[in-house]
Amino acid sequence: MVSGSMYKLGTAVSPIRAYYELGWSRAEELGRENIFDFSLGAPAVPMPDAYRRELIRLLEEEDQVKLHTYAPHPGVPETKKAITDDLNSRFGCSFDPGDIIMTAGAAPAISAVLSAIKTSPSDEIALLAPYFSEYSAIIEGLGLKKLEIKTLEPDFHLDLDAIERALGPDTAALLLNSPNNPSGAVYPAEDLKRLAEILKNKSEEFGRTIFLISDEPYRELMLEDEEFPFPANFYDDTVICYSYSKSLSIAGERMGYVLIPGANGERKKLFPAVMGAARANGVSNAPVLFQKALIKCAGLSSDTELYRKNRDVLYDALTSMGYVCTKPKATFYMMVKTLEDDRAFCERAASMGLIFAPCSGFGFPGYVRVALCVPEDTAKRSVGAFRRLMDSYRQEP
Ligand code: PLP
């Protein structure tokens, strides 16, 4: 027998991949050079040179057996110290290396935290739409429920009144993603402050700690010269899930962590519960080589200049043609308002060589996500195809 729910998940086409295939199927007709693929959120710049050099040094100089062995389950202690030193100096917090569990990326980190806080099948996780499409698979796969709350157009900031109304006695956590995939929004400090008040009041009202799970893989991808308002500085019961996939351009290497600040209240039990969940799900042990290379490089991140240039080229060109778009302050994603149902829009765009993901898969229909992590030349040359797409709608009666 096979699990029906897992079969369903495994055979469902990801909203990000669905139009990828369709667009590339036109390559023969349009020419490969006329396919502009903005569908995948994979970094388009190399890892920082110092990190690459450190990896090579470790491979050449360190004990090769120890470098490729199992890590201690919560992670390499020196790596965790380097991470907390870096976070404490940048965000003025006082994390302890013992607050961290290294994981093989952010997705396993989120899944371990959600498993650790699930106490009943009626537990729900609040999601702020638009949200990363894979959250649905993780939440539903664990037998939890989604509580979707929309953010506000046009900048996709928090709808705090709606959040206050929606949270209920079954809410186990609110999963926050700032900077946001797909909108590129960075939630301002004053909104995080009010959100913290709401979570605190609702936790008291319902007699259960509502955790704030802060998924922050794009924290280092700020495109403006602005400070990142760090969610853990606003609410004590925050659990950070982090990934190096985007910040160090090592999505294939699988590196991230869970950070549970301080061991007070419910959080005292949460740390061992996350360790237990990682064990139960078989997702502990981030690769030792990549953990060790972080000891000297914890504060580094890849160059974001390409993402900024692509954002500016496409934002300026698209808005001048009449498209409505977000201008992301961070990440490498932009949302563009569609001129019909978002899936139909993606289909028409794919027929012209433009490939992107419909935001109905991100809980916010009526937009597409344009991933800006493409070569500069692709972004520039795509402008003509965007114009043809707009013209095709204007020519309609
Ligand atoms: N969270 C968000 C918002 C993401 O965009 C992604 C990947 O695209 C992840 C989590 C998963 O990251 P990882 O590659 O570390 O599993």
Side-chain angles (χ1 to χ4, degrees):
M1 287 279 277
V2 165
S3 151
S5 57
M6 290 302 146
Y7 179 83
K8 200 170 145 218
L9 263 180
T11 46
V13 187
S14 130
I16 300 176
R17 294 265 169 182
Y19 297 91
Y20 173 84
E21 306 290 339
L22 186 66
W24 279 104
S25 69
R26 302 295 310 273
E28 213 164 286
E29 191 185 323
L30 297 172
R32 287 185 78 81
E33 70 286 3
N34 294 319
I35 301 294
F36 306 104
D37 185 355
F38 297 102
S39 60
L40 302 184
V45 294
M47 67 174 75
D49 205 41
Y51 189 65
R52 189 183 62 83
R53 278 189 276 110
E54 183 59 7
L55 288 167
I56 294 170
R57 188 193 69 73
L58 287 165
L59 283 168
E60 285 175 353
E61 294 175 15
E62 289 279 304
D63 179 321
Q64 292 305 295
V65 174
K66 287 190 182 148
L67 206 49
H68 300 287
T69 190
Y70 293 116
H73 273 182
V76 174
E78 297 86 342
T79 304
K80 300 197 303 172
K81 163 119 181 42
I83 294 170
T84 49
D85 283 352
D86 173 57
L87 292 175
N88 292 344
S89 73
R90 283 163 58 207
F91 298 116
C93 23
S94 49
F95 299 140
D96 184 270
D99 295 341
I100 290 187
I101 302 167
M102 299 301 295
T103 59
I110 296 165
S111 142
V113 172
L114 293 181
S115 305
I117 62 170
K118 183 184 168 190
T119 56
S120 140
S122 60
D123 280 351
E124 60 189 18
I125 306 300
L127 290 181
L128 308 176
Y131 54 81
F132 176 44
S133 50
E134 287 304 296
Y135 289 165
S136 299
I138 300 175
I139 291 171
E140 284 161 15
L142 291 171
L144 285 156
K145 297 194 165 46
K146 285 193 293 184
L147 172 67
E148 293 196 7
I149 307 163
K150 287 205 162 173
T151 55
L152 295 166
E153 296 174 77
D155 55 10
F156 299 95
H157 281 185
L158 305 181
D159 186 342
L160 292 153
D161 293 338
I163 294 173
E164 192 164 25
R165 281 195 303 273
L167 301 183
D170 287 328
T171 313
L174 185 144
L175 178 43
L176 187 91
N177 170 224
S178 176
N180 182 265
N181 170 12
S183 72
V186 178
Y187 304 137
E190 60 271 23
D191 287 3
L192 295 179
K193 197 164 165 238
R194 166 118 195 266
L195 177 66
E197 280 161 19
I198 294 171
L199 290 172
K200 199 163 169 284
N201 292 341
K202 293 285 170 184
S203 296
E204 273 165 23
E205 182 182 340
F206 301 124
R208 72 183 291 176
T209 302
I210 303 180
F211 291 103
L212 178 65
I213 303 173
S214 177
D215 177 30
E216 2 187 296
Y218 301 94
R219 185 178 68 205
E220 273 62 56
L221 269 59
M222 293 295 287
L223 304 180
E224 302 288 347
D225 197 13
E226 282 178 25
E227 293 279 306
F228 167 64
F230 189 51
N233 279 347
F234 296 84
Y235 186 61
D236 287 343
D237 287 306
T238 300
V239 178
I240 298 171
C241 292
Y242 188 72
S243 167
Y244 290 96
S245 295
K246 324 286 173 171
S247 61
L248 287 181
S249 303
I250 53 166
E253 275 73 24
R254 315 308 299 137
M255 272 281 292
Y257 58 80
V258 176
L259 194 159
I260 303 167
N264 297 318
E266 275 293 282
R267 278 171 286 139
K268 208 183 259 177
K269 285 195 278 171
L270 184 59
F271 193 94
V274 173
M275 289 285 293
R279 198 174 150 204
N281 298 347
V283 295
S284 46
N285 276 321
V288 172
L289 167 63
F290 291 90
Q291 286 196 52
K292 285 204 164 168
L294 269 185
I295 297 171
K296 289 191 183 159
C297 302
L300 293 183
S301 51
S302 301
D303 188 2
T304 52
E305 193 47 33
L306 172 70
Y307 307 142
R308 193 184 345 266
K309 276 188 190 158
N310 287 349
R311 175 198 66 176
D312 292 344
V313 164
L314 286 175
Y315 179 82
D316 291 348
L318 267 61
T319 48
S320 75
M321 287 174 210
Y323 287 101
V324 173
C325 321
T326 59
K327 188 169 189 189
K329 286 195 168 194
T331 75
F332 42 53
Y333 305 110
M334 173 168 139
M335 276 168 72
V336 179
K337 204 172 176 125
T338 58
L339 300 158
E340 59 178 318
D341 165 82
D342 56 352
R343 290 191 166 93
F345 184 80
C346 282
E347 249 165 71
R348 189 186 293 207
S351 75
M352 298 180 190
L354 284 169
I355 312 176
F356 18 70
C359 284
S360 43
F362 297 78
F364 214 108
Y367 285 82
V368 289
R369 183 190 77 170
V370 177
L372 303 164
C373 39
V374 297
E376 200 178 339
D377 174 63
T378 303
K380 284 186 177 155
R381 288 189 307 104
S382 71
V383 168
F386 274 105
R387 184 166 295 114
R388 283 192 292 284
L389 179 61
M390 177 58 94
D391 288 347
S392 77
Y393 285 99
R394 291 210 168 116
Q395 278 152 18
E396 278 174 5

